[in-house]
């Protein structure tokens, strides 16, 4: 795995997608303030997130972060990667996101985002291609706590005149 961005800061297009390379972000620790702020923003006040007494009596054994909070943080971490700074300017739309949370994220867990482009397919548009990418979050122990597959439309390399 690498955290490098392929050596420079020139834009990358659909044809330049670095397939199968895994890029890993720096870490970010989940705090109680994150969970409370996200509850206020999203109105997700499920007691599993905001009521320690209730959550302690569940199989989870305590409060956990909202799944969409984990997705949002992992997305933010990966968009700060040098590779995404180069490729992000070519993204023209989001088609789908599929997400799962195989393990809970708890207050005090540190998340690391992973970004990997797995497929590049030509679309029916001569100016756009469709890229499939994985954005995952691992905790400090290397356990995957969120995995997501995204399909995005990207600009193809402009034709030389």
């Amino acid at each position: 795995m690498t955290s490098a961005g392929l050596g420079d800061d020139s834009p990358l297009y659909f044809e330049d997608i670095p397939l199968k390379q895994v890029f890993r972000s720096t870490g970010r620790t989940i705090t109680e303030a994150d969970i409370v702020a996200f509850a206020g923003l999203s109105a997700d006040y499920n007691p599993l997130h905001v009521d320690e007494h209730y959550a302690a009596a569940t199989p989870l054994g305590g409060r956990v972060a909202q799944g969409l909070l984990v997705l949002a943080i992992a997305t933010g971490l990966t968009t700060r990667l040098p590779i995404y700074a180069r490729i992000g300017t070519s993204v023209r739309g989001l088609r789908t996101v599929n997400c799962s949370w195989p393990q809970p994220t708890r207050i005090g867990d540190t998340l690391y985002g992973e970004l990997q482009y797995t497929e590049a397919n030509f679309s029916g548009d001569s100016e756009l291609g469709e890229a499939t990418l994985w954005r995952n979050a691992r905790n400090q122990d290397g356990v995957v706590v969120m995995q997501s597959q995204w399909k995005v439309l990207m600009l193809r390399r402009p034709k030389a005149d």
Side-chain angles (χ1 to χ4, degrees):
M1 289 193 287
T2 181
S3 60
L6 301 181
D8 65 37
D9 61 358
S10 60
L12 293 176
Y13 296 93
F14 171 77
E15 292 81 0
D16 305 316
I17 293 171
L19 293 175
K20 308 300 182 194
Q21 292 184 47
V22 178
F23 300 91
R24 188 173 189 210
S25 76
T26 57
R28 180 177 180 311
T29 302
I30 302 300
T31 67
E32 179 174 10
D34 293 328
I35 292 171
V36 171
F38 192 80
L41 178 66
S42 66
D44 184 352
Y45 289 100
N46 185 300
L48 289 172
H49 310 308
V50 299
D51 183 335
E52 181 59 38
H53 180 73
Y54 172 86
T58 71
L60 291 171
R63 288 186 296 160
V64 296
Q66 296 92 336
L68 293 179
L69 171 61
V70 175
L71 174 64
I73 289 173
T75 301
L77 288 169
T78 58
T79 59
R80 293 177 29 210
L81 290 166
I83 184 64
Y84 198 85
R86 295 182 63 202
I87 216 164
T89 58
S90 295
V91 174
R92 288 298 180 263
L94 174 63
R95 287 216 163 153
T96 63
V97 176
N98 292 305
C99 211
S100 65
W101 295 267
Q103 295 293 319
T105 297
R106 301 180 182 284
I107 295 169
D109 280 354
T110 299
L111 299 182
Y112 298 88
E114 292 178 342
L115 176 67
Q116 179 184 35
Y117 291 86
T118 59
E119 290 182 51
N121 297 302
F122 294 104
S123 69
D125 186 324
S126 63
E127 294 181 10
L128 298 172
E130 183 181 83
T132 301
L133 59 111
W134 284 90
R135 276 194 173 110
N136 299 328
R138 291 184 186 270
N139 68 16
Q140 65 282 351
D141 299 321
V143 174
V144 174
V145 295
M146 187 279 306
Q147 50 195 12
S148 62
Q149 180 189 56
W150 302 55
K151 291 190 183 277
V152 297
L153 291 174
M154 292 184 59
L155 283 177
R156 296 193 56 198
R157 181 173 296 289
K159 292 183 172 47
D161 292 327

